[in-house]
């Protein structure tokens, strides 16, 4: 089938999965020319096999809250593709989680993992359980119930989960503890583990740091210095906070952060003290970004996102999917934004991406720019297999090299005749070719 036929067919078969269709459409429209150069792909119906996940597990997760009430959530794991390595990808706990969102994330993960140069297939999992407002004990009971169902489907060479929205070190620890008990083994089945039990140094920082390294590579193509640049960040979780840490280390100004309740705007840029307040607020106290505004002079915009509300040179969306629409994109461009580097997965709508590409600014899609997180997960798997742990410097150096290599691949496949680098096309084609060649070599399975 041709790429457009596959999209139409998937739309017909999965009418209630808009995020999945959105992610598939973006990839297929950019790889079409490459695909058409390989008639053997069509004979093997390769695209359709690459778009439909290998398998989906969905299950009920029942647990007891602190008031003694029985709660029921849905749990999922999408094993999308393992042509180039074991299934690998995060777990998301958020009230919005459904099959469409996890299918889009698992599909994206397959191409992202291919770009990292490491041997990892694509997967994603999660639940519509939200840890927000829950006690530690409730979170623990939920994680244990979730893994009691999922543990049979995962393993160090089968499928290796990690964190994502709502899943950080605490949740990974609880899930790993239950996994270890059920499987009666101590292996690297999760990444993002605590340092004391096999977690890699720099894994917590990796997505945010990696995005900054990718941004530096992009800016270098235009000879632009990051020092003094105003950067708007959305979110204030794992990815957003470590993006801010690295940006400030590099001399840039962080002019916004947000959560699902609202946005803080700090036109002069956060100070070191303010950044540390946010790190403690989010990592230790699990507080709200509004509390920052109670303590420091700034503008707090309830219910707003940063994009239409702040002048910035660079935008690094690091919260969730579809958080930049075309109005936001036009506002960013009108305010002088020259680069967008995505920490979140699919944060820009297709219409917003069109605006960025038409304006020919530096625009890095999530599957390239945020691949540092899963890349260091891959390094954690390597360390666990060796029963060794590398120094922070060693992991950070490898991360920088991987981000430079991803940038190089985007450039190779995405440079247009006029010199402009279309990172969307570059990332999709580079990610696709490796997986496609592996699938061809392995036959129809
Ligand atoms: P966290 O849970 O640590 O933080 C998420 C942040 O985004 C919070 O500030 C949260 O606010 C905000 N947020 C979440 N959902 C929404 C929403 N629907 N609307 C507005 N704000 C929202 O997650 P991460 O930092 O790990 O993940 C952020 C993004 O980065 C996601 O797209 C994830 O898929 C992607 N990513 C994560 C990687 C990782 O290693 N963790 C790797 C690569 C990509 P609130 O607290 O109010 O919910
Ligand atoms: O979206 C992602 O790349 C992640 N949430 C990290 C996945 C991982 O396996 O480290």
């Amino acid at each position: 089938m041709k790429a457009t036929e596959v999209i139409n067919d998937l739309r017909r078969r999965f009418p209630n999965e808009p995020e999945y269709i959105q992610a598939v459409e973006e990839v297929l429209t950019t790889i079409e020319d490459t695909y058409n150069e390989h008639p053997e792909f069509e004979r093997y119906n390769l695209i359709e096999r690459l778009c439909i996940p290998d398998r989906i597990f969905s299950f009920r997760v029942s647990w007891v809250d602190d008031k003694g009430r029985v709660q029921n959530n849905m749990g999922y794991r999408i094993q999308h593709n393992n042509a180039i390595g074991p299934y690998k990808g995060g777990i998301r706990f958020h009230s919005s989680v459904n099959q469409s969102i996890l299918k889009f994330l698992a599909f994206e993960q397959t191409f992202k993992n291919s770009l990292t140069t490491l041997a990892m297939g694509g997967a994603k999992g999660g639940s519509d359980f939200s840890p927000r407002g829950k006690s530690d004990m409730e979170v623990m009971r939920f994680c244990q119930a979730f893994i009691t169902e999922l543990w049979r489907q995962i393993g160090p060479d089968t499928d290796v989960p990690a964190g994502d929205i709502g899943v950080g070190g605490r949740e990974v620890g609880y899930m790993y503890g239950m996994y270890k008990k059920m499987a009666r083994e101590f292996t690297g089945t999760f990444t993002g583990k605590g340092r004391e039990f096999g977690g890699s140094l720099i894994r917590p920082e990796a997505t945010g740091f990696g995005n900054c390294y990718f941004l530096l590579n992009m800016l270098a193509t235009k000879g632009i210095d990051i020092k003094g640049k105003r950067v708007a960040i959305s979110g204030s979780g794992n990815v957003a906070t470590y993006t801010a840490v690295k940006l400030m280390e590099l001399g840039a100004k962080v002019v916004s952060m947000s959560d699902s309740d609202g946005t803080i705007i700090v036109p002069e840029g956060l100070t070191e003290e303010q950044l540390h307040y946010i790190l403690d607020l989010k990592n230790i106290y699990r507080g709200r970004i509004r509390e920052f505004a109670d303590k420091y002079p700034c503008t707090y915009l309830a219910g707003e996102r940063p994009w239409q509300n702040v002048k910035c040179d660079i935008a690094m969306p690091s919260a969730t999917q579809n958080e930049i629409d075309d109005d936001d994109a036009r506002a960013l461009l009108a305010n002088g934004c020259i680069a967008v580097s995505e920490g979140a997965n699919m944060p820009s709508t297709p219409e917003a991406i069109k605006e960025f590409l038409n304006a020919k600014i530096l625009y890095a899609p999530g599957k390239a720019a945020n691949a540092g997180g899963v890349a260091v997960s891959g390094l954690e798997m390597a360390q666990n297999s060796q029963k060794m742990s590398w120094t922070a410097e060693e992991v950070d150096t490898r991360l920088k090299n991987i981000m430079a290599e991803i940038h190089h691949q985007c450039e190779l496949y995405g440079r247009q005749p006029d010199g402009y680098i279309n990172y969307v096309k570059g990332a999709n084609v580079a990610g696709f070719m490796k997986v496609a060649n592996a699938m061809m070599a392995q036959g129809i399975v």
Side-chain angles (χ1 to χ4, degrees):
M1 270 200 271
K2 295 260 174 257
T4 40
E5 288 173 43
V6 173
I7 299 170
N8 288 336
D9 198 48
L10 293 176
R11 204 177 266 123
R12 181 184 60 75
R13 291 162 78 182
F14 305 106
N16 302 320
E17 300 187 350
E19 293 87 1
Y20 168 61
I21 299 295
Q22 181 185 334
V24 168
E25 188 158 17
E26 185 218 279
V27 170
L28 295 197
T29 49
T30 51
I31 63 164
E32 200 157 11
D33 294 345
T34 314
Y35 178 75
N36 289 338
E37 287 163 16
H38 294 270
E40 70 279 14
F41 288 172
E42 203 175 326
R43 274 201 304 279
Y44 278 70
N45 204 354
L46 185 101
I47 289 211
E48 197 179 30
R49 285 196 293 131
L50 183 49
C51 290
I52 298 179
D54 288 355
R55 65 191 67 79
I56 298 176
F57 299 104
S58 58
F59 45 93
R60 171 173 49 76
V61 185
S62 295
W63 57 283
V64 182
D65 69 18
D66 286 348
K67 296 204 170 90
R69 290 178 306 212
V70 177
Q71 302 273 355
N72 297 305
N73 287 101
M74 283 305 297
Y76 307 88
R77 184 73 179 168
I78 318 277
Q79 295 181 337
H80 190 86
N81 185 292
N82 67 349
I84 63 167
Y87 299 109
K88 178 82 194 91
I91 297 220
R92 177 176 291 192
F93 289 164
H94 191 269
S95 52
S96 64
V97 162
N98 58 36
Q99 194 161 293
S100 170
I101 289 177
L102 295 180
K103 273 175 77 177
F104 115 64
L105 289 162
F107 175 82
E108 288 280 294
Q109 197 79 47
T110 301
F111 297 93
K112 184 196 303 193
N113 293 3
S114 165
L115 286 171
T116 63
T117 73
L118 305 173
M120 297 182 289
K124 203 84 186 191
S127 173
D128 56 0
F129 167 84
S130 171
R132 188 169 156 191
K134 306 287 193 305
S135 71
D136 272 357
M137 285 296 163
E138 288 178 320
V139 171
M140 183 181 76
R141 287 196 292 275
F142 174 79
C143 289
Q144 293 179 339
F146 182 83
I147 287 300
T148 305
E149 190 65 38
L150 188 62
W151 77 275
R152 285 181 196 81
Q153 323 301 348
I154 58 179
D157 298 314
T158 307
D159 182 353
V160 183
D164 193 79
I165 291 177
V167 177
R170 175 181 64 169
E171 290 75 13
V172 167
Y174 290 150
M175 285 193 277
Y176 184 70
M178 197 59 178
Y179 173 79
K180 184 172 64 69
K181 189 179 175 78
M182 305 298 283
R184 299 193 298 147
E185 61 176 34
F186 192 104
T187 52
T189 294
F190 274 82
T191 60
K193 300 183 291 296
R195 256 187 237 176
E196 306 79 0
F197 52 101
S200 177
L201 291 168
I202 307 291
R203 177 61 189 90
E205 297 87 346
T207 312
F209 281 18
N211 192 11
C212 295
Y213 300 152
F214 195 89
L215 173 71
L216 289 179
N217 278 283
M218 285 207 295
L219 293 176
T221 64
K222 295 201 176 266
I224 299 170
D225 190 353
I226 194 163
K227 275 209 181 66
K229 293 286 175 299
R230 290 161 304 180
V231 187
I233 296 178
S234 63
S236 49
N238 172 270
V239 178
T241 49
Y242 286 111
T243 301
V245 167
K246 183 56 76 177
L247 283 171
M248 286 173 61
E249 194 185 307
L250 293 166
K253 292 180 183 165
V254 174
V255 295
S256 73
M257 295 198 77
S258 68
D259 59 23
S260 51
D261 295 339
T263 294
I264 53 159
I265 305 286
V266 189
E268 297 310 311
L270 292 175
T271 63
E272 288 291 335
E273 183 198 316
Q274 291 170 341
L275 175 65
H276 282 110
Y277 174 83
I278 292 176
L279 286 170
D280 286 351
L281 177 70
K282 288 293 172 178
N283 294 338
I284 301 175
Y285 305 112
R286 299 181 187 274
R288 311 302 303 157
I289 204 73
R290 177 185 0 96
E291 295 169 51
F292 177 94
D294 295 339
K295 190 167 162 69
Y296 296 104
C298 71
T299 308
Y300 177 70
L301 302 165
E304 297 267 336
R305 295 174 293 195
W307 322 121
Q308 301 201 23
N309 295 302
V310 63
K311 254 181 133 43
C312 65
D313 306 298
I314 297 164
M316 299 178 87
S318 308
T320 193
Q321 64 275 356
N322 292 328
E323 55 164 313
I324 300 184
D325 64 17
D326 45 343
D327 284 340
D328 299 327
R330 281 189 288 272
L332 282 167
L333 292 169
N335 275 326
C337 180
I338 53 157
V340 178
S341 203
E342 295 182 342
N345 286 307
M346 206 169 76
S348 306
T349 63
E351 296 75 27
I353 297 174
K354 242 177 238 151
E355 295 286 341
F356 296 142
L357 295 181
N358 285 343
K360 301 212 164 175
I361 62 162
L362 298 168
Y363 167 68
K367 66 170 76 66
N370 73 36
V374 75
V376 174
S377 278
L379 301 181
E380 184 168 321
M381 289 164 72
Q383 294 170 75
N384 291 167
S385 298
Q386 297 178 337
K387 308 242 182 308
M388 300 271 288
S389 50
W390 302 337
T391 62
E393 292 69 34
E394 165 134 32
V395 178
D396 198 32
T397 303
R398 285 178 187 260
L399 172 61
K400 279 183 190 149
N401 291 340
I402 288 170
M403 298 317 293
E405 177 55 29
I406 297 173
H407 184 272
H408 171 70
Q409 292 180 63
C410 291
E411 213 173 353
L412 198 66
Y413 289 99
R415 196 177 278 283
Q416 297 182 170
D418 65 358
Y420 177 66
I421 304 172
N422 182 332
Y423 288 89
V424 180
K425 181 169 185 193
N428 288 341
V429 173
F432 167 74
M433 282 310 292
K434 185 172 162 187
V435 179
N437 288 333
M439 286 176 73
M440 288 300 289
Q442 292 169 21
I444 317 281
V445 286

